[in-house]
Amino acid sequence: MTPQHLAFMMLINLIWGFALVAAKVSLEHFPPMMFTALRFTLIVMVLFPFLRIHEGRMKEVLIIALCAGPIGFGFFFAGVALSNPSVVAIVGQLGVPFSTIMSVIFLKEKVYWRRWSGIALSFAGVMVISFDPTVFHFIWGLVFIVASSLVGSVGTIYQRQIKRVGVFELQAWIAVVAAPVMLVGSLLFERDQIELMTSATMLQWSGVFYVAFASSLVGHAGIYYLLQRYEVSQTAPLTLLSPIFTIIFSVALLGDVLTTRMIVGTLIALTGVLIVSLRQKQIVRTDP
C-alpha cells in the first residue's frame, strides 16, 4: 500500500478498536438490537441525501446492504446471545481467511505463501489472545458467529467487484436496509425502548454516536474505499489489528489486566500483519 493508505488503515483499526470500548458503555443501558437500530437510524439521517438508484447495480448494492446490515448482524447477535466473548473474539476473526479464500475463488486473486503465512500468523495471534477451551461448550453460538463471518465475507467480495457506487452512497443503502429491520427486531424481542431512550445519559448516548459516525462513516466507508483500490487478500488481514487495539484501550481505560498471553498474542499478530503489509503490490485499481 502507499504510506497514506496504510496510515488510513491504521486509523480504521484504531477507530474499530475503540468502538468496542465505547459500545460497551452504551450496551450496559441499551439492548443490542435497539443499539444497532439507533446506530443505523443516525446514519440514515446524515446520509439520506446520498441515496441514489444505480441502474444495473442495485442487485449488488442490496446484497452488500443485507450482508453488512441485518443478515450479518442477525447472525452475530444470535451468536453473542448463545456464547461468551471468547467465542466471539475467536470465530469473529474467521472473516479474514473466508474473505481471502473467496477472493481466490471468485476474483481470481493470487495469494502466495508469504501472504498466507502472514494471514496465518495474524489469526494465530488473535487466537492466542482470545482462546478459551470453553469455546467448545457453545456450539450453536459458534455456528451463528461463523455464519456472520461468512456473510460478511460475501459482502466484502461484492464490495470489491462493484463499480461507480460512491462510498457514502453505499453506506446510505446499508443503513436504509438495516435500520427498519433492526427496529422491528427490537420491538419484537426487546422492550421499554422509549423509557431507555429518555433515561440514557450523555455518556451512554456517546457510544451510539461514536459507533454510528466514527465506526461506520469512517471505518466501514474507509474499508470500502480501500477495497476499490487493493485486493481483498491485501486489505482484509490488516483488519486483524483492531482486536489488538481493543486490548490496549481496555487495559488503559477500563482497567483490564495485561497478561503474558495477551503480550505474546499481540506480538505474533503484529508480525503477521507486518508480513502482509510489506508484501503488498501497488494499487491494482484506481477507479472510485
Side-chain angles (χ1 to χ4, degrees), residues 3 39 60 63 82 95 111 114-115 124 154 169 176 178 207 232 281:
R39 164 192 181 174
E60 289 79 8
I63 289 174
L82 295 174
V111 182
R114 287 184 178 87
R115 194 176 297 166
V154 172
E169 291 175 352
V176 164
V232 173
K281 302 174 184 177

Side-chain angles (χ1 to χ4, degrees), residues 110 148 153 164 176 189 224 243 262 287:
K110 302 295 184 182
S148 175
S153 300
R164 294 185 296 277
V176 164
F189 300 107
Y224 173 60
M262 288 181 181
D287 52 301

Side-chain angles (χ1 to χ4, degrees), residues 106-278:
F106 297 109
L107 304 181
K108 308 304 180 185
E109 293 184 1
K110 302 295 184 182
V111 182
Y112 299 101
W113 68 269
R114 287 184 178 87
R115 194 176 297 166
W116 279 120
S117 65
I119 293 169
L121 276 174
S122 300
F123 187 64
V126 174
M127 289 190 67
V128 168
I129 294 169
S130 307
F131 185 78
D132 187 330
T134 59
V135 65
F136 300 108
H137 296 210
F138 302 95
I139 298 301
W140 280 110
L142 185 148
V143 169
F144 282 122
I145 298 297
V146 168
S148 175
S149 298
L150 187 59
V151 168
S153 300
V154 172
T156 298
I157 297 301
Y158 273 95
Q159 287 183 51
R160 171 63 181 160
Q161 290 179 305
I162 197 168
K163 299 180 181 180
R164 294 185 296 277
V165 177
V167 171
F168 292 127
E169 291 175 352
L170 187 63
Q171 289 299 308
W173 278 109
I174 292 173
V176 164
V177 171
V181 174
M182 300 309 296
L183 179 59
V184 170
S186 178
L187 293 174
L188 288 175
F189 300 107
E190 300 167 348
R191 58 182 183 178
D192 300 327
Q193 286 84 357
I194 300 298
E195 180 182 346
L196 287 169
M197 291 177 64
T198 56
S199 62
T201 65
M202 286 301 298
L203 181 62
Q204 291 161 341
W205 273 109
S206 67
V208 179
F209 281 95
Y210 181 88
V211 172
F213 298 130
S215 183
S216 292
L217 297 188
V218 178
H220 291 289
I223 286 294
Y224 173 60
Y225 170 85
L226 292 173
L227 283 171
Q228 300 304 295
R229 290 156 174 81
Y230 296 94
E231 295 178 351
V232 173
S233 59
Q234 293 173 317
T235 306
L238 297 182
T239 62
L240 285 167
L241 278 176
S242 61
I244 307 301
F245 287 124
T246 298
I247 291 172
I248 294 172
F249 286 126
S250 296
V251 171
L253 302 177
L254 301 180
D256 290 351
V257 178
L258 185 63
T259 64
T260 302
R261 186 172 69 180
M262 288 181 181
I263 296 173
V264 172
T266 298
L267 292 175
I268 294 173
L270 288 175
T271 301
V273 170
L274 181 62
I275 290 173
V276 172
S277 63
L278 290 179

Side-chain angles (χ1 to χ4, degrees), residues 55-123:
E55 294 185 7
R57 296 188 293 276
M58 287 309 299
K59 176 183 176 182
E60 289 79 8
V61 169
L62 291 177
I63 289 174
I64 294 170
L66 288 170
C67 291
I71 298 179
F73 273 111
F75 282 131
F76 181 79
F77 285 126
V80 171
L82 295 174
S83 60
N84 65 15
S86 296
V87 174
V88 178
I90 299 167
V91 185
Q93 304 307 317
L94 284 175
V96 172
F98 282 163
S99 297
T100 303
I101 292 169
M102 287 185 184
S103 71
V104 172
I105 296 173
F106 297 109
L107 304 181
K108 308 304 180 185
E109 293 184 1
K110 302 295 184 182
V111 182
Y112 299 101
W113 68 269
R114 287 184 178 87
R115 194 176 297 166
W116 279 120
S117 65
I119 293 169
L121 276 174
S122 300
F123 187 64

